[in-house]
Amino acid sequence: MAVWGERLAGVRGVLLDISGVLYDSGEGGGVPIAGSVDAVARLKRSQLKVRFCTNESQKSRGELVALLRRLGFDISQEEVTAPAPATCQILKERGLRPHLLIHDGVRSEFDQIDKSSPNCVVMADAGESFSYQNMNKAFQILMELENPVLISLGKGRYYKETSGLMLDVGAYVKALEYACGIEAEVVGKPSPEFFKSALQALGVEAHQAQ
Amino acid sequence: MAVWGERLAGVRGVLLDISGVLYDSGEGGGVPIAGSVDAVARLKRSQLKVRFCTNESQKSRGELVALLRRLGFDISQEEVTAPAPATCQILKERGLRPHLLIHDGVRSEFDQIDKSSPNCVVMADAGESFSYQNMNKAFQILMELENPVLISLGKGRYYKETSGLMLDVGAYVKALEYACGIEAEVVGKPSPEFFKSALQALGVEAHQAQ
């Protein structure tokens, strides 16, 4: 504990990743990573503020939190910073109406967003929904726009499931960037704005967080 | 014809692209591009040597030539340089056993190739076969190799069908390159080796071709 004490000197808050840190997703939801349920419980009993910061984009925050609670974690929806709500904020601010290339599990996060006559594409980790047909539809929409805007929830290369490595959204972002000759805007880690919004919700400065 | 004469001074051979030049693919096979059937016939009646150089990788040369003949073109299989046979040559020379991420239409070109215990991935324009599952399988195979080798038949961004623009293999190459942190070897245009092999078959030097 002395080592912990030294490492945490001056630290007031902790941001925790979820997928690959708290649990590995997979069949039946996934499995907690050894020691992580206890680690979260200990952090919450400490003086430190705790927030969860994830690029998870296959599930809504509600679904994700329900799964984590089933796995034994002490976590609530209000403690989670995730790219879908951050994207909705950007869409509203800039008057963007998205065509969504996303997993059905996260679709409810976009319920309040105007999706008529799309003037941008929003893509997330769509898993099996990354079919040729769905990718081509997003491609065609971008090619028809005068100023094509592509927003991606994260840009991960791959993630680990209990069954093995899985292609993440970043790979499919590169596909559309190359085909359309454009660059995507990434919402989520490693974007500094995304971390800042998590720290703001935590009420601490960057140098006070771990 | 005087203008043609001037432009062709010193030219002994002509390489013709196929898709998007002779015809646009689409439902029912496709449609010839206006004037192209006649242009091929005129070239063949001239003193010039003619060869067809394509990145078509959804069909075998046999299928492609049968389609073009149905559309009215004077063309035979021996006149076509295509990436699949060129790839088979490379696989044999380097002792590579491919996992194939390709369209069923071109699979017969690889009949004579050893595909047991793959030590590389060969990808071509797979169309609808670019499912998440098929992409992920190719990704997992590459990640398990000590020296991952990815060979791509062409790297086109997109092509035109009668129904609209379609994502080409290059987009999916970028996806696997990014996910695996590797660079693909491209067989087909714009690779200089590919053009050289077409010119060699034609029996002319680069400066004598158009």
Side-chain angles (χ1 to χ4, degrees), chain A residues 125-133 135-136 139-140 143 155-159 163-168 170-172 174-181, chain B residues 125-133 135-136 139-140 143 155-159 163-168 170-172 174-181:
Chain A
D125 176 18
E128 299 279 342
S129 294
F130 278 134
S131 64
Y132 182 76
Q133 200 179 1
M135 280 289 285
N136 207 50
F139 162 69
Q140 289 178 339
M143 291 296 275
K155 60 171 186 178
R157 292 162 60 198
Y158 56 85
Y159 55 92
S163 61
L165 300 182
M166 307 292 284
L167 279 174
D168 201 355
Y172 287 90
K174 291 294 166 187
L176 289 183
E177 284 185 337
Y178 177 72
C180 301
Chain B
D125 176 19
E128 298 278 344
S129 294
F130 278 134
S131 64
Y132 182 76
Q133 202 179 1
M135 281 289 285
N136 207 49
F139 162 69
Q140 289 178 339
M143 292 295 274
K155 60 171 186 180
R157 291 163 59 199
Y158 57 85
Y159 55 91
S163 60
L165 299 183
M166 308 293 283
L167 278 174
D168 200 354
Y172 286 91
K174 292 294 167 188
L176 288 184
E177 284 185 337
Y178 177 71
C180 301

Coordinates of all heavy atoms in Angstrom, one line a residue, chain A residues 125-133 135-136 139-140 143 155-159 163-168 170-172 174-181, chain B residues 125-133 135-136 139-140 143 155-159 163-168 170-172 174-181:
Chain A
D125 N -18.3 0.6 -34.0 CA -18.1 -0.8 -34.2 C -19.4 -1.6 -34.5 O -20.1 -1.9 -33.6 CB -17.4 -1.4 -32.9 CG -17.2 -2.9 -32.9 OD1 -17.2 -3.4 -34.1 OD2 -17.0 -3.5 -31.9
A126 N -19.6 -1.9 -35.7 CA -20.9 -2.5 -36.2 C -20.8 -4.0 -36.2 O -21.9 -4.6 -36.4 CB -21.3 -2.0 -37.5
G127 N -19.7 -4.6 -35.9 CA -19.6 -6.1 -35.9 C -20.1 -6.7 -37.2 O -19.7 -6.2 -38.3
E128 N -21.0 -7.6 -37.0 CA -21.5 -8.4 -38.2 C -22.2 -7.4 -39.2 O -22.4 -7.8 -40.4 CB -22.5 -9.4 -37.7 CG -21.9 -10.5 -36.9 CD -21.2 -11.6 -37.6 OE1 -21.5 -11.7 -38.9 OE2 -20.4 -12.3 -37.0
S129 N -22.6 -6.3 -38.7 CA -23.3 -5.3 -39.6 C -22.4 -4.6 -40.6 O -22.8 -3.9 -41.4 CB -24.1 -4.3 -38.8 OG -25.1 -4.9 -38.1
F130 N -21.1 -4.9 -40.4 CA -20.1 -4.4 -41.4 C -20.2 -5.3 -42.7 O -19.2 -5.9 -43.0 CB -18.7 -4.4 -40.9 CG -18.3 -3.1 -40.1 CD1 -17.7 -3.2 -38.9 CD2 -18.7 -1.9 -40.5 CE1 -17.4 -2.1 -38.1 CE2 -18.4 -0.7 -39.8 CZ -17.7 -0.9 -38.6
S131 N -21.3 -5.4 -43.3 CA -21.5 -6.2 -44.5 C -21.0 -5.4 -45.7 O -20.9 -4.1 -45.5 CB -23.0 -6.6 -44.7 OG -23.7 -5.4 -44.9
Y132 N -20.8 -6.0 -46.8 CA -20.4 -5.2 -48.0 C -21.5 -4.3 -48.3 O -21.2 -3.1 -48.7 CB -20.1 -6.2 -49.2 CG -19.7 -5.4 -50.4 CD1 -18.4 -4.9 -50.5 CD2 -20.6 -5.2 -51.4 CE1 -18.0 -4.2 -51.6 CE2 -20.2 -4.4 -52.6 CZ -18.9 -4.0 -52.6 OH -18.5 -3.2 -53.7
Q133 N -22.7 -4.7 -48.2 CA -23.9 -3.9 -48.6 C -24.0 -2.6 -47.7 O -24.1 -1.5 -48.2 CB -25.2 -4.7 -48.5 CG -26.3 -4.1 -49.2 CD -27.6 -5.0 -49.1 OE1 -27.6 -6.0 -48.4 NE2 -28.6 -4.6 -49.7
M135 N -21.5 -1.3 -45.9 CA -20.3 -0.4 -46.2 C -20.5 0.4 -47.5 O -20.2 1.5 -47.5 CB -19.1 -1.3 -46.3 CG -18.5 -1.7 -44.9 SD -17.7 -0.4 -44.0 CE -16.2 -0.2 -45.0
N136 N -21.0 -0.3 -48.5 CA -21.2 0.3 -49.8 C -22.2 1.5 -49.7 O -22.1 2.5 -50.4 CB -21.6 -0.7 -50.8 CG -21.1 -0.3 -52.2 OD1 -20.0 0.1 -52.4 ND2 -22.0 -0.3 -53.2
F139 N -20.6 4.4 -48.2 CA -19.7 4.9 -49.2 C -20.4 5.8 -50.2 O -20.0 6.9 -50.5 CB -18.9 3.7 -49.8 CG -18.3 4.0 -51.2 CD1 -17.2 4.9 -51.2 CD2 -18.8 3.5 -52.3 CE1 -16.6 5.2 -52.4 CE2 -18.2 3.8 -53.6 CZ -17.1 4.6 -53.6
Q140 N -21.5 5.2 -50.7 CA -22.3 5.9 -51.8 C -22.8 7.3 -51.2 O -22.8 8.3 -51.9 CB -23.4 5.1 -52.3 CG -22.9 3.9 -53.1 CD -24.0 3.0 -53.6 OE1 -25.1 3.0 -53.1 NE2 -23.7 2.2 -54.7
M143 N -20.0 9.8 -51.1 CA -19.6 10.2 -52.4 C -20.6 11.2 -53.0 O -20.2 11.9 -53.9 CB -19.4 9.0 -53.3 CG -18.2 8.1 -52.9 SD -16.6 9.0 -53.1 CE -16.2 8.7 -54.8
K155 N -11.2 4.6 -33.1 CA -10.5 4.1 -34.3 C -9.6 2.9 -33.9 O -8.5 2.7 -34.4 CB -9.7 5.2 -34.9 CG -8.6 5.8 -34.0 CD -7.7 6.8 -34.9 CE -6.6 7.3 -34.0 NZ -5.7 8.1 -34.8
G156 N -10.1 2.1 -33.0 CA -9.4 0.9 -32.6 C -9.1 -0.1 -33.8 O -9.9 -0.1 -34.7
R157 N -7.9 -0.7 -33.7 CA -7.6 -1.7 -34.8 C -8.3 -3.0 -34.5 O -8.9 -3.6 -35.5 CB -6.1 -1.9 -34.7 CG -5.3 -0.7 -35.2 CD -3.8 -0.8 -34.7 NE -3.2 -2.0 -35.3 CZ -2.1 -2.6 -34.9 NH1 -1.4 -2.1 -33.8 NH2 -1.6 -3.7 -35.4
Y158 N -8.3 -3.5 -33.3 CA -9.0 -4.7 -33.0 C -9.2 -4.8 -31.5 O -8.6 -4.0 -30.7 CB -8.2 -5.9 -33.5 CG -6.8 -6.0 -33.0 CD1 -6.6 -6.6 -31.7 CD2 -5.8 -5.6 -33.7 CE1 -5.3 -6.7 -31.2 CE2 -4.5 -5.6 -33.2 CZ -4.2 -6.2 -32.0 OH -2.9 -6.3 -31.5
Y159 N -10.0 -5.7 -31.1 CA -10.2 -5.9 -29.6 C -10.3 -7.4 -29.4 O -10.4 -8.2 -30.3 CB -11.5 -5.2 -29.1 CG -12.7 -5.5 -29.8 CD1 -13.5 -6.6 -29.4 CD2 -13.1 -4.8 -30.9 CE1 -14.7 -6.9 -30.0 CE2 -14.3 -5.2 -31.6 CZ -15.1 -6.2 -31.1 OH -16.2 -6.5 -31.8
S163 N -13.4 -15.4 -27.7 CA -13.1 -16.4 -28.8 C -11.9 -16.0 -29.6 O -11.5 -16.8 -30.5 CB -14.4 -16.4 -29.6 OG -14.6 -15.2 -30.2
G164 N -11.3 -14.8 -29.4 CA -10.2 -14.4 -30.2 C -10.2 -12.9 -30.5 O -11.1 -12.2 -30.0
L165 N -9.3 -12.5 -31.4 CA -9.2 -11.1 -31.8 C -10.3 -10.8 -32.8 O -10.6 -11.6 -33.7 CB -7.8 -10.8 -32.4 CG -6.6 -11.0 -31.5 CD1 -5.3 -10.6 -32.3 CD2 -6.7 -10.3 -30.2
M166 N -10.8 -9.6 -32.7 CA -11.9 -9.1 -33.5 C -11.6 -7.8 -34.2 O -11.2 -6.9 -33.5 CB -13.2 -9.0 -32.7 CG -13.6 -10.2 -31.9 SD -14.1 -11.6 -32.9 CE -15.7 -11.1 -33.5
L167 N -11.8 -7.6 -35.5 CA -11.6 -6.4 -36.2 C -12.5 -5.3 -35.5 O -13.7 -5.5 -35.3 CB -12.0 -6.5 -37.6 CG -11.0 -7.1 -38.6 CD1 -11.7 -7.3 -40.0 CD2 -9.8 -6.3 -38.7
D168 N -11.9 -4.1 -35.3 CA -12.6 -3.0 -34.7 C -12.9 -2.0 -35.7 O -12.5 -2.1 -36.9 CB -11.8 -2.4 -33.5 CG -12.6 -1.6 -32.5 OD1 -13.8 -1.4 -32.8 OD2 -12.0 -1.2 -31.5
G170 N -11.8 0.9 -36.4 CA -10.8 1.7 -37.1 C -10.4 1.1 -38.5 O -10.1 1.8 -39.4
A171 N -10.5 -0.2 -38.6 CA -10.2 -0.9 -39.8 C -11.2 -0.4 -40.9 O -10.8 -0.1 -42.0 CB -10.2 -2.4 -39.7
Y172 N -12.4 -0.4 -40.5 CA -13.5 0.0 -41.5 C -13.4 1.5 -41.8 O -13.8 1.9 -42.9 CB -14.8 -0.5 -41.0 CG -14.9 -2.0 -41.2 CD1 -14.6 -2.9 -40.2 CD2 -15.3 -2.5 -42.4 CE1 -14.6 -4.3 -40.4 CE2 -15.4 -3.9 -42.6 CZ -15.0 -4.8 -41.6 OH -15.1 -6.1 -41.8
K174 N -10.6 3.2 -42.1 CA -9.6 3.3 -43.1 C -10.1 2.9 -44.4 O -9.7 3.5 -45.4 CB -8.4 2.4 -42.7 CG -7.6 2.8 -41.5 CD -6.9 4.1 -41.7 CE -6.4 4.7 -40.4 NZ -5.9 6.1 -40.5
A175 N -11.0 1.9 -44.5 CA -11.6 1.5 -45.8 C -12.3 2.7 -46.4 O -12.1 3.0 -47.6 CB -12.5 0.3 -45.6
L176 N -13.2 3.3 -45.7 CA -14.0 4.4 -46.2 C -13.1 5.7 -46.5 O -13.4 6.4 -47.5 CB -15.2 4.8 -45.3 CG -16.3 3.7 -45.2 CD1 -17.4 4.2 -44.4 CD2 -16.8 3.4 -46.6
E177 N -12.2 5.9 -45.6 CA -11.3 7.1 -45.9 C -10.6 6.9 -47.2 O -10.5 7.9 -48.0 CB -10.2 7.2 -44.7 CG -10.8 7.7 -43.4 CD -9.7 7.9 -42.4 OE1 -8.6 7.2 -42.5 OE2 -9.9 8.7 -41.5
Y178 N -10.0 5.7 -47.5 CA -9.3 5.5 -48.7 C -10.2 5.5 -49.9 O -9.9 6.2 -50.9 CB -8.7 4.1 -48.6 CG -7.9 3.7 -49.9 CD1 -6.7 4.3 -50.2 CD2 -8.4 2.7 -50.7 CE1 -6.0 3.9 -51.4 CE2 -7.7 2.3 -51.8 CZ -6.5 2.9 -52.2 OH -5.9 2.5 -53.3
A179 N -11.4 4.9 -49.8 CA -12.3 4.9 -50.9 C -12.8 6.3 -51.3 O -13.0 6.6 -52.5 CB -13.5 3.9 -50.7
C180 N -13.1 7.1 -50.3 CA -13.6 8.4 -50.5 C -12.6 9.5 -50.6 O -12.9 10.6 -51.0 CB -14.6 8.8 -49.4 SG -16.0 7.6 -49.2
G181 N -11.3 9.2 -50.2 CA -10.3 10.2 -50.2 C -10.6 11.3 -49.2 O -10.4 12.5 -49.4
Chain B
D125 N -11.2 -8.5 -55.2 CA -12.5 -7.9 -55.1 C -13.5 -8.9 -54.8 O -14.0 -9.6 -55.7 CB -12.8 -7.1 -56.4 CG -14.2 -6.5 -56.3 OD1 -14.8 -6.4 -55.2 OD2 -14.8 -6.2 -57.4
A126 N -13.9 -9.1 -53.5 CA -14.7 -10.2 -53.1 C -16.2 -9.8 -53.1 O -17.1 -10.7 -52.9 CB -14.3 -10.7 -51.7
G127 N -16.5 -8.5 -53.4 CA -17.9 -8.1 -53.4 C -18.6 -8.5 -52.1 O -18.1 -8.2 -51.0
E128 N -19.8 -9.1 -52.3 CA -20.6 -9.4 -51.1 C -19.9 -10.4 -50.1 O -20.3 -10.5 -49.0 CB -21.9 -10.2 -51.6 CG -22.8 -9.3 -52.5 CD -23.7 -8.4 -51.7 OE1 -23.8 -8.6 -50.5 OE2 -24.2 -7.4 -52.3
S129 N -18.8 -11.0 -50.6 CA -18.1 -11.9 -49.7 C -17.2 -11.2 -48.7 O -16.6 -11.8 -47.9 CB -17.3 -12.9 -50.5 OG -18.1 -13.8 -51.3
F130 N -17.1 -9.8 -48.9 CA -16.5 -9.0 -47.8 C -17.4 -8.9 -46.6 O -17.7 -7.8 -46.3 CB -16.1 -7.7 -48.4 CG -14.8 -7.6 -49.2 CD1 -14.8 -7.0 -50.4 CD2 -13.6 -8.2 -48.7 CE1 -13.6 -6.9 -51.2 CE2 -12.5 -8.2 -49.5 CZ -12.4 -7.5 -50.7
S131 N -17.8 -10.0 -46.1 CA -18.6 -10.0 -44.8 C -17.6 -9.7 -43.6 O -16.4 -9.9 -43.7 CB -19.3 -11.3 -44.6 OG -18.3 -12.3 -44.5
Y132 N -18.2 -9.3 -42.5 CA -17.4 -9.2 -41.3 C -16.7 -10.5 -41.0 O -15.5 -10.5 -40.6 CB -18.2 -8.7 -40.1 CG -17.4 -8.4 -38.9 CD1 -16.6 -7.3 -38.8 CD2 -17.3 -9.4 -37.8 CE1 -15.8 -7.1 -37.7 CE2 -16.5 -9.2 -36.7 CZ -15.8 -8.0 -36.6 OH -15.0 -7.8 -35.5
Q133 N -17.4 -11.6 -41.1 CA -16.9 -12.9 -40.7 C -15.6 -13.2 -41.6 O -14.6 -13.7 -41.1 CB -18.0 -13.9 -40.9 CG -17.7 -15.2 -40.1 CD -18.9 -16.2 -40.3 OE1 -19.8 -16.0 -41.0 NE2 -18.7 -17.3 -39.6
M135 N -13.8 -11.1 -43.4 CA -12.7 -10.2 -43.1 C -11.9 -10.6 -41.8 O -10.7 -10.6 -41.7 CB -13.2 -8.8 -43.0 CG -13.5 -8.1 -44.4 SD -11.9 -7.7 -45.3 CE -11.4 -6.2 -44.3
N136 N -12.7 -10.9 -40.8 CA -12.1 -11.2 -39.5 C -11.3 -12.5 -39.6 O -10.3 -12.6 -38.9 CB -13.2 -11.4 -38.5 CG -12.7 -11.0 -37.1 OD1 -12.1 -10.0 -36.9 ND2 -13.0 -11.9 -36.1
F139 N -8.1 -11.6 -41.1 CA -7.3 -10.8 -40.1 C -6.7 -11.8 -39.0 O -5.5 -11.6 -38.7 CB -8.3 -9.9 -39.4 CG -7.9 -9.3 -38.1 CD1 -6.8 -8.4 -38.0 CD2 -8.5 -9.7 -36.9 CE1 -6.4 -7.9 -36.8 CE2 -8.1 -9.2 -35.7 CZ -7.0 -8.3 -35.7
Q140 N -7.5 -12.7 -38.6 CA -7.0 -13.6 -37.5 C -5.8 -14.5 -38.1 O -4.8 -14.7 -37.4 CB -8.1 -14.5 -37.0 CG -9.1 -13.7 -36.1 CD -10.3 -14.6 -35.7 OE1 -10.5 -15.7 -36.2 NE2 -10.9 -14.2 -34.6
M143 N -2.7 -12.3 -38.2 CA -2.2 -12.0 -36.8 C -1.5 -13.2 -36.2 O -0.7 -13.1 -35.3 CB -3.3 -11.5 -35.9 CG -3.9 -10.2 -36.3 SD -2.7 -8.8 -36.2 CE -2.9 -8.4 -34.4
K155 N -5.6 -2.5 -56.1 CA -5.9 -1.7 -54.9 C -6.8 -0.6 -55.3 O -6.7 0.5 -54.8 CB -4.6 -1.2 -54.3 CG -3.7 -0.3 -55.1 CD -2.6 0.3 -54.3 CE -1.9 1.4 -55.1 NZ -0.8 2.0 -54.3
G156 N -7.8 -0.9 -56.2 CA -8.7 0.1 -56.6 C -9.6 0.7 -55.4 O -9.9 -0.1 -54.5
R157 N -9.9 1.9 -55.5 CA -10.8 2.5 -54.5 C -12.3 2.1 -54.7 O -13.0 1.7 -53.8 CB -10.7 4.0 -54.5 CG -9.3 4.5 -54.0 CD -9.1 6.0 -54.4 NE -10.1 6.9 -53.9 CZ -10.4 8.1 -54.4 NH1 -9.7 8.6 -55.4 NH2 -11.3 8.8 -53.8
Y158 N -12.7 2.2 -55.9 CA -14.1 1.8 -56.3 C -14.2 1.7 -57.8 O -13.3 2.1 -58.5 CB -15.1 2.9 -55.8 CG -14.9 4.3 -56.3 CD1 -15.4 4.7 -57.5 CD2 -14.1 5.2 -55.5 CE1 -15.1 6.0 -58.0 CE2 -13.9 6.5 -56.0 CZ -14.4 6.9 -57.3 OH -14.2 8.1 -57.7
Y159 N -15.3 1.1 -58.2 CA -15.5 1.0 -59.6 C -17.0 1.3 -59.9 O -17.8 1.3 -58.9 CB -15.1 -0.4 -60.2 CG -15.8 -1.6 -59.5 CD1 -17.0 -2.1 -59.9 CD2 -15.2 -2.1 -58.3 CE1 -17.6 -3.2 -59.3 CE2 -15.8 -3.2 -57.7 CZ -17.0 -3.7 -58.1 OH -17.6 -4.8 -57.5
S163 N -25.5 0.2 -61.6 CA -26.4 0.6 -60.5 C -25.7 1.7 -59.7 O -26.4 2.3 -58.8 CB -26.7 -0.6 -59.6 OG -25.5 -1.1 -59.1
G164 N -24.5 2.0 -59.9 CA -23.8 3.0 -59.1 C -22.4 2.6 -58.7 O -21.8 1.6 -59.2
L165 N -21.7 3.4 -57.9 CA -20.3 3.2 -57.5 C -20.3 2.0 -56.5 O -21.2 1.9 -55.6 CB -19.7 4.4 -56.9 CG -19.6 5.7 -57.7 CD1 -19.0 6.8 -57.0 CD2 -18.9 5.4 -59.1
M166 N -19.2 1.2 -56.6 CA -19.1 0.1 -55.7 C -17.7 0.1 -55.1 O -16.7 0.3 -55.8 CB -19.2 -1.2 -56.5 CG -20.5 -1.3 -57.4 SD -22.0 -1.4 -56.4 CE -21.9 -3.2 -55.8
L167 N -17.6 -0.2 -53.8 CA -16.3 -0.3 -53.1 C -15.5 -1.4 -53.7 O -15.9 -2.5 -53.9 CB -16.5 -0.7 -51.6 CG -16.9 0.4 -50.7 CD1 -17.2 -0.2 -49.3 CD2 -15.8 1.5 -50.6
D168 N -14.2 -1.1 -54.0 CA -13.3 -2.0 -54.6 C -12.3 -2.6 -53.5 O -12.3 -2.1 -52.4 CB -12.5 -1.4 -55.7 CG -11.9 -2.4 -56.7 OD1 -12.0 -3.6 -56.4 OD2 -11.4 -1.9 -57.7
G170 N -9.3 -2.3 -52.8 CA -8.3 -1.4 -52.1 C -8.8 -0.9 -50.8 O -8.0 -0.8 -49.8
A171 N -10.1 -0.6 -50.7 CA -10.6 -0.2 -49.4 C -10.5 -1.3 -48.3 O -10.0 -1.0 -47.2 CB -12.1 0.1 -49.6
Y172 N -10.7 -2.5 -48.7 CA -10.6 -3.6 -47.7 C -9.1 -4.0 -47.4 O -8.8 -4.4 -46.4 CB -11.4 -4.8 -48.2 CG -12.9 -4.6 -48.1 CD1 -13.6 -4.0 -49.1 CD2 -13.5 -4.9 -46.9 CE1 -15.0 -3.7 -48.9 CE2 -14.8 -4.6 -46.7 CZ -15.6 -4.0 -47.7 OH -16.9 -3.8 -47.5
K174 N -6.8 -1.6 -47.2 CA -6.5 -0.6 -46.2 C -7.0 -1.1 -44.8 O -6.3 -0.8 -43.8 CB -7.1 0.7 -46.5 CG -6.5 1.4 -47.7 CD -5.0 1.7 -47.5 CE -4.3 2.1 -48.8 NZ -2.9 2.3 -48.7
A175 N -8.1 -1.7 -44.7 CA -8.7 -2.1 -43.4 C -7.7 -3.2 -42.8 O -7.4 -3.1 -41.6 CB -10.1 -2.7 -43.6
L176 N -7.3 -4.2 -43.6 CA -6.4 -5.2 -43.0 C -5.0 -4.7 -42.8 O -4.4 -5.1 -41.8 CB -6.4 -6.4 -44.0 CG -7.7 -7.3 -44.0 CD1 -7.5 -8.5 -44.9 CD2 -8.1 -7.7 -42.6
E177 N -4.6 -3.8 -43.6 CA -3.2 -3.2 -43.4 C -3.2 -2.5 -42.0 O -2.3 -2.6 -41.2 CB -2.9 -2.2 -44.5 CG -2.5 -2.8 -45.8 CD -2.0 -1.8 -46.8 OE1 -2.4 -0.6 -46.7 OE2 -1.3 -2.2 -47.7
Y178 N -4.3 -1.7 -41.8 CA -4.3 -0.9 -40.5 C -4.5 -1.8 -39.3 O -3.8 -1.7 -38.3 CB -5.5 0.0 -40.6 CG -5.7 0.9 -39.3 CD1 -4.9 1.9 -39.0 CD2 -6.8 0.6 -38.5 CE1 -5.1 2.6 -37.8 CE2 -7.1 1.4 -37.4 CZ -6.2 2.4 -37.0 OH -6.4 3.1 -35.9
A179 N -5.4 -2.8 -39.4 CA -5.6 -3.7 -38.3 C -4.4 -4.5 -37.9 O -4.1 -4.7 -36.7 CB -6.8 -4.6 -38.6
C180 N -3.7 -5.0 -38.9 CA -2.5 -5.8 -38.7 C -1.2 -5.1 -38.6 O -0.2 -5.7 -38.2 CB -2.4 -6.9 -39.8 SG -3.8 -7.9 -40.0
G181 N -1.2 -3.8 -39.0 CA 0.1 -3.0 -39.0 C 1.0 -3.5 -40.0 O 2.2 -3.6 -39.7

